[in-house]
Amino acid sequence: GAGVSQSPSNKVTEKGKDVELRCDPISGHTALYWYRQSLGQGLEFLIYFQGNSAPDKSGLPSDRFSAERTGGSVSTLTIQRTQQEDSAVYLCASSTRGENTEAFFGQGTRLTVV
Amino acid sequence: AQSVAQPEDQVNVAEGNPLTVKCTYSVSGNPYLFWYVQYPNRGLQFLLKYITGDNLVKGSYGFEAEFNKSQTSFHLKKPSALVSDSALYFCAVRGRGAGSYQLTFGKGTKLSVIP
């Protein structure tokens, strides 16, 4: 596709349930990022994938959060046993390899835990 | 560790007046610097970036930014604001070096352009 695609755009879940958020990056982009944006806050880095290298998981806030990237393309962010504080917009971005390259963002998934 | 500060949560400017959105950064070595804009219920859109060379960088929609190494700043500017420029603006930094990739964002500045 022309841009980064995220699904679903909105997700309402009950506290304690597991959720999966999907990101389809721009074709050919080897780098993929997940960020979290809470109301009134900036972007919080969660995880980074680059090609076949081991992902940088240093931003994941707890072991309830995990992410994988299959075949170097689509990525899934999984949140287990969701809590109300997980409510936020989850943004995915992709870029070509290189330090000076900009990242292109998807529209985000708005997660609401009730 | 790298960091970005956007000291103003909100900036108000009259339509037609020049605007400035401030950003300062902290990073080891020379930085790559980026500005993004976010419209309501939308993802972030890339505006411009500084890599090297001319300290004044021009980007989309008439925006420009000035890199000042001594002040570790990268302020976003536009000579004449439009109502449609009203949005949330984010500054981001990435360090240079082997394995550098993490984009660190500021908390954002809400720009309101008043008709």
Side-chain angles (χ1 to χ4, degrees):
Chain A
V4 178
S5 178
Q6 291 188 247
S7 60
S9 55
N10 281 285
K11 176 72 176 178
V12 180
T13 190
E14 292 181 352
K15 178 181 174 181
K17 300 282 190 182
D18 298 352
V19 294
E20 285 189 353
L21 312 180
R22 177 188 167 104
C23 173
D24 202 339
I26 293 172
S27 178
H29 281 190
T30 58
L32 188 147
Y33 304 76
W34 282 99
Y35 286 86
R36 178 168 69 175
Q37 184 179 23
S38 302
L39 189 63
Q41 301 295 314
L43 274 70
E44 176 188 5
F45 167 76
L46 297 177
I47 189 168
Y48 168 82
F49 296 90
Q50 172 59 270
N52 295 321
S53 302
D56 177 356
K57 305 179 182 180
S58 62
L60 295 178
S62 77
D63 58 8
R64 296 187 295 105
F65 288 73
S66 63
E68 61 179 25
R69 188 177 184 191
T70 54
S73 182
V74 172
S75 177
T76 303
L77 178 69
T78 301
I79 309 173
Q80 296 178 311
R81 306 181 301 282
T82 52
Q83 304 294 313
Q84 288 187 330
E85 61 263 29
D86 299 335
S87 296
V89 176
Y90 289 82
L91 292 166
C92 175
S94 70
S95 71
T96 56
R97 188 182 185 93
E99 299 171 346
N100 63 353
T101 58
E102 61 271 27
F104 293 85
F105 282 79
Q107 307 267 22
T109 294
R110 181 176 298 277
L111 175 66
T112 304
V113 182
V114 298
Chain B
Q2 57 195 37
S3 65
V4 174
Q6 293 183 241
E8 301 154 318
D9 291 337
Q10 175 139 3
V11 170
N12 297 322
V13 63
E15 186 177 23
N17 281 3
L19 69 87
T20 298
V21 182
K22 295 179 180 177
C23 170
T24 59
Y25 65 91
S26 175
V27 70
S28 178
N30 293 317
Y32 296 110
L33 295 156
F34 304 82
W35 275 102
Y36 286 82
V37 59
Q38 186 179 36
Y39 297 100
N41 301 312
R42 302 292 297 274
L44 273 71
Q45 296 179 28
F46 168 74
L47 275 180
L48 51 81
K49 66 181 177 183
Y50 171 79
I51 300 174
T52 188
D54 195 347
N55 289 341
L56 185 64
V57 178
K58 294 187 183 297
S60 307
Y61 312 120
F63 284 93
E64 57 191 27
E66 187 167 11
F67 171 63
N68 187 316
K69 186 174 182 178
S70 63
Q71 296 184 5
T72 61
S73 67
F74 190 54
H75 301 330
L76 182 69
K77 300 180 180 183
K78 187 173 182 180
S80 178
L82 300 173
V83 172
S84 57
D85 293 331
S86 298
L88 190 57
Y89 290 80
F90 290 94
C91 181
V93 68
R94 181 190 278 142
R96 302 184 191 221
S100 289
Y101 53 79
Q102 190 173 130
L103 265 178
T104 300
F105 286 83
K107 290 195 171 183
T109 298
K110 183 178 180 181
L111 173 67
S112 293
V113 181
I114 303 160

